[in-house]
Amino acid sequence: MEKTIKMTETEAIDFTICKGFDGEELKTQAWKIGKCLKKDGTYKKLIRKLECHFEEVNIIGSGKSKVYILTNPKVEPTEMPNKRKGRKMPRKLDDEILTSFVHKMLIKLNPEDLHVTTYNALRTKIPFVFNQSERLADIVAKVFDDYLSSEKMKSVWSFTDWYLNDRATKDIKLAIEHLAEDKKIEVKTKWIASKYLTELKSQITLSEVEHINGAIRQLAIETDIDYQEYQRSFALPFKSKKMIDFQLVVESYLQENFGYNFIYKAMEIRVLDFAPDSKWNFSEVKKTFLTKVKNLVSEKVKSAKYLKAQNKGEKFHHLCVLLFLKENGIQIDEQELKEEIEGIPYHLNEIIKSFEEPMQEGFGRKSTS
């Protein structure tokens, strides 16, 4: 018997996100402006994603009124056709080096550690830089010692610490994708729930995940929260009070209605190829990662968003990165570093004027008496 499901475009995108896709549709200019997709490559790709899970996909209407008619759910999802197959883009050398290192470390790890893991968990097991947080805190303390109390020092370097972790997580994710594509590892998606009171973790079914996400989506509507923003908020270093409050609402709701503290997407990794490419040592891997950070940040600091930053973490991000790169032996522009250090009093004054925090005598500085 034929089974048909109707979805709005938002529901169709949410459905693909629940199935493991990255929600790239939400990042398009068309979606940001009009909350609907143009009939372009992203739109066609969304249809292909849906076709992985349904025998037939049809769309009626246009603009925000589009309705996705999904017929006969597949018992087993199929792979999405790769339109680029046969014309694969060459990989960058830095990605090759990091991928090779990740492969070598996966071989060394205990298989039990890979039975249920996440990209964030892998980042702690496969570091590109050792003792990152401690070293970052130390070098920042030396430069800001005359300006800020030790209590306020962390607000300067914690954003850069988050950025380095986030960058490493993204590079590990890309490496895992490359290794899976090269058939050197096998990756399976798992959904895990942390049980309320016991905090034991157990695997749950995809249908339960979809049910829970549907309930959270309804909560978001009732609380006037953008559901996609809620999903993205867990990866961000700063959250609005409204979002923090909503996360607490969701946590209480999950505990009361499902018996869980939270749920998350994990994966099982099985190594298939135990012969790593050992052309690069750890020093070369670290240099590759930090040089990539250097290039990305040098572009980032030119943006209007960075120039308008009004909290200490973002305002001093470039300075923190330059200090960290120098500490780790990466060549930097010394004049650029000198200017950033000389600009500390000016930027602190800017932050005071922006009312990032209540204006207090000395702005947390040490007493000179």
Side-chain angles (χ1 to χ4, degrees), residues 140-141 144 147-158 312-313 316 348 356-366:
V140 168
F144 281 82
Y147 300 99
L148 294 172
S149 64
S150 57
E151 292 80 15
K152 289 185 178 288
M153 208 74 76
K154 187 174 181 179
S155 63
V156 173
W157 61 263
S158 59
K312 293 191 291 295
F316 295 113
L348 285 174
E356 179 215 357
E357 44 192 45
M359 193 182 298
Q360 299 175 8
E361 185 177 349
F363 191 64
R365 297 184 186 185
K366 293 181 178 180

Side-chain angles (χ1 to χ4, degrees), residues 147 319 335-347:
Y147 300 99
L319 171 57
Q335 180 60 32
E336 198 172 32
L337 175 59
K338 182 173 180 287
E339 290 173 1
E340 288 286 338
I341 292 174
E342 290 174 348
I344 291 173
Y346 171 75
H347 290 315

Side-chain angles (χ1 to χ4, degrees), residues 81-90 181:
N82 186 356
K83 296 293 183 181
R84 294 183 179 180
K85 199 168 185 179
R87 51 187 182 96
K88 191 188 298 182
M89 293 292 289
E181 187 179 314

Side-chain angles (χ1 to χ4, degrees), residues 1 43 58 87 165 184 186-187 262 277 302 306 357:
M1 187 177 189
Y43 168 77
N58 293 295
R87 51 187 182 96
N165 286 338
K184 293 184 177 181
E186 181 182 69
V187 182
F262 55 85
D277 186 340
K302 296 174 186 175
Y306 178 79
E357 44 192 45

Side-chain angles (χ1 to χ4, degrees), residues 79-127:
E79 286 190 22
M80 187 170 71
N82 186 356
K83 296 293 183 181
R84 294 183 179 180
K85 199 168 185 179
R87 51 187 182 96
K88 191 188 298 182
M89 293 292 289
R91 293 173 189 170
K92 296 177 182 177
L93 178 59
D94 56 3
D95 291 334
E96 279 190 27
I97 293 172
L98 297 181
T99 297
S100 173
F101 175 68
V102 170
H103 184 205
K104 182 164 67 174
M105 294 303 292
L106 288 175
I107 293 170
K108 290 182 177 181
L109 287 175
N110 186 328
E112 285 297 312
D113 292 335
L114 301 177
H115 186 62
V116 178
T117 189
T118 64
Y119 294 117
N120 279 328
L122 287 176
R123 172 177 51 76
T124 64
K125 295 180 174 70
I126 307 176

